[in-house]
Amino acid sequence: MINQDQFDNLLVEAENEINNGADAAVLYHKYLGRNGKFSTMIKQITTLKTDERKVVGEKAKIIKNRLNYLLQIKTSSNQPSIDLTLPADLTAHGHQHPIETSIARLYQISERLGFVAAQSPEIENEDNNFEFLQIAKDHPARDMQDTFWTVDGRVLRTHTTAFQQNLIKNNHPPFAFVQGGKIYRCEAEDATHLSEFHQFDGFAVAKNLTFADLRGVLFQLIQDFFLRPVELRFRPSFFPFVEPGAEIDMKCFSCTGRGCRSCGYKGWLELLGCGITDQEIIASAGLDPKEYHGLAFGLGVERFAMLYYGVEDIREFTRNDPRFLEQLV
Amino acid sequence: MKFVYQHLKIKADSPEKTADLLSSHTQEVERILPVGIKASGVITGQVISVKKHPNADRLNQLEVSIKEKILTILTSATVHENDKVAVATVGSSVITVNRQDINTQIDSRKMTTISRQTIRGITSEGMLCGEDELGLSESASHGVMILPPDTPLGLPLEKIFPVKQIIETDDKGTAHRSDLLSYRGIEQELAAILGQKINTEELESPKELRSPNIQASIEATDGCRLFLTALINLPSNKFSPKWLTEFLTDNQIKTINLATDITNYVMLTEGYPTHAFDASTITGNKVSVRYAAENETVQTLNHREYKLKKTDLVIADSEKPLDLAGIIGGEKTAISDQTKQILLTCALFDPIHIRRTSQSFGIRTEASARFERGLSTAAAINGFNKALRLILDLSDGQLIDLRITGDDKQDRVNIKTKTAEIRSLLGKNIDDQKIVTILKNLNFDIEIADGNLNIICPWWRQDVRDWQDIAEEVARIYGYEEIPRTLPSLLYDQTKEWSLKQDFQIVRKTAAEFLYEVQTSSMVSLGNKDAIRLANPIGDKKFMRQNLTDGLIQLTIKKYREGFNDFGCFEVGHIYVKDQPLKFAAALVAKQAQAKNLLGIIFHRLGLDYRLITFQTNDQTKTVINYKKTAVGEFKATWQAPIWIFSWELDMQLLNDQQKQNGRFKAYSRLPKIKRDLAIVLDKNIDYGTVVKMIEKQSSLISKISLFDEIDNYNGQNNFRSLAFHLEFSDEKRTLQNEEINVIIQNIEENLKNKLKAVIR
Ligand SMILES: [Zn+2]
């Protein structure tokens, strides 16, 4: 018949073994395992009378707890040491590029406004890049755009606006597209110029779009990009593919309009060009320009990023220095 | 262009206000510059006597009256008795110029206070100033400035040269408007902005007056539409009046002689370049606008000689070119003080011709800038009339001959539109009356009935051609800032979204946890025969890149050498092979396993997995990154002692296509799996990918193969390594039996032994 003493003896036996340095896992198996000594004994309890079963059961519970406790201590004292301050094998220390981040943000903002992302090739035909946008050969506007040409007579696009022809010919209005990407100008690089940089363009055509809509859309886009209240000034400017054409200035953050070094003492910072699409572009797709109106804008991503992050030398963006990249989120 | 505020006939109360109005309604003002005297305390005086310094040969000793007293002044300059001069008395400040500082190669200027100076026994009580010392001229001294004979004495010089403001506009944004390169154009704009109307007179062609003394013709008819000439006798040596010289000086144009000053004046005020030749230099009583003969030469006013091409336009006499048409006058045909007879010419040149010639010789002049923008017949007639009248009036000259060659018909554009169309384009309810007033103030001729506008454009607005241009005129003058901001509903068909953009952002965000995102140049110095070549490269970057990895590896090596020991970078960008695909490439200094971990994480985020497979191409072994059976990119290791640089390049479109197919749920087996281990030793040149492929082929029940151990030089055998795998077997529909798995394992082992000469451990 199983009794309390047998349980006490089991504990003494186990304590001895633990103190003699036996392996904790082996002992656990031997005493508390499914077919261990304790389990074998506890199975016999069912043969006892009810009142005895209660007394012995109490004892068994105490012994089991004790065994568990001792074996736990034993286990933890056998654990090898670990250095938790060792470095990771795969360290998280990279960073997104501020220009790509800016383009991604511009996509996000313009998608909220209802634009859809589109894409056109960087190596373009002359027609898409110039003629269709009414920048004819010998047009003085081409002065501003010293162009890279490929040997086979194509151009490295000088603006992301080059996507307009394919969009208007392949989509029936209403539509609204944006595109961010690389553009090229054949000019010497300095603190304010790169020969490869990025633009973000928007082009929407629908019935009854207005100049007021253009103002609203761009105000929202600019304010959301700079994440603060902005004061804008729309003023007349000329681009061959829009009419009316405008350029947008933003009141300088640093001097709030009084004039300082960062705004060239003008109080205003030039931001982007925009306008209502010229009727010939609308008509080229067989649409009535008095019914369908287009909005168009194009901004320099580097320019936006420089103002947003406070970067003064545009070449920082192409130096790819970790010490620069790490700072800009 | 630069406009002197004081010379504008219509303007706001201050230069600043005027500049603001122009910026908001017409074209941006770059800056406002003060011009005028910068010296202080300088007064007018008159030379009373001149004699040599008794002890210094090179100095003159003068007596100069400044009205209340007479000063002794020493000078090395040559002046004459009675000359009126600018006198810097003791205590006044002038500007001294140290010409060509040796270090900076530029002139440095500073203010200097005049003090008494004694030279060899005689004390000088002041100094005579030149234009540069007064701050009136930026260029080096032309000697002492001689003032007009009627200048009163003792007058502060500020009274004669008051400070004025130059408003400098930015012309780049208005390349379509030639009228903005003239005072009349800017005044017209300001009038409309301020709500005023300038009355203009009807423009008429001049009356012809034919004499046998000269003939004119246009031979290059596609380069010149209209050629106006006037032969004028100049009876006496007349000088430009004060208002004219002052206007030109304020506008920073040198005064030369009456006729030239007038043509310059007309160019600035009316915006049309005219040119006057000394008629005595014209051979054969005959002028024509023609193309140059190949290699013909012309010497021009900038003291240069140009060798001409057949496409360059010239005005020529019967023998030689007289000038470079529309760009710059000829040196030998220029008017001098001795000129008795001039030929005033005014031609309407084709903008493209002028632009080509001006670009090919690299000379841009005030004249070429105006012709390039495109001028009208009416503008030519207006410019010619104004210049002719001024020359005749101011010189008492006599008109001998006047000819109109070519077409002098004035075309004024007629536009019909509705006020409602203008409102609907602008999104602002500007009433009919306001629209009409704005257009009238801009000098458009208008009839309105029931909102229907019949508009005749003013002759100086070549740029206005259709109803949309009219809407712009209204918007500009009304004020862009007065038009409200509204948000249109642009939520159209969203199904056309550029499909790669989503993956693009996932890849960027994931890779940027471990690598620096960089941007490298699309233009490279090396390319194979299929590479797209640039016709006008900068430096040796002649090709468009055919992959991203080469640039990233180079960058990584560079950064490693700069001390970034564990540099890793990636770029999502296009390469310029067929279809200009978008690629995602990375290069990093790392352990191979780290590079693979990273690649694994990125694929995992995209919901894909990958496998590396090596195969042999013609001359090299390539490791491709496979997803299912498609190669989506390449994995590469580049040895750059002492480091390995691991790199990959993946095709975003292929990844995207795979991901789309992958989006559906596939049932997985809930039945127990059977696990087996397999350890083999084999030649180390046989790669992991090959072994796995062989194992896989044996049974479709293998659901997972994972490598858990790799030992190089196993048991001291140099060319051998041991690979140990966990294999997992499962089936969706039934419980597998140990026996069938044993058979599969046996087959695998047999195969590895036979085909790869592996030893089973
Ligand atoms: Zn500022």
Side-chain angles (χ1 to χ4, degrees), chain A residues 252-265 267-269:
Chain A
C252 177
F253 295 141
S254 327
C255 64
T256 61
R258 284 187 304 276
C260 67
R261 201 168 61 92
S262 54
C263 58
Y265 302 96
W268 293 90
L269 301 157

Side-chain angles (χ1 to χ4, degrees), chain B residues 615-629:
Chain B
F615 68 89
Q616 203 69 31
T617 63
N618 295 342
D619 52 347
Q620 57 183 340
T621 314
K622 252 187 156 178
T623 304
V624 298
I625 303 171
N626 258 29
Y627 173 73
K628 289 188 178 156
K629 293 226 162 64

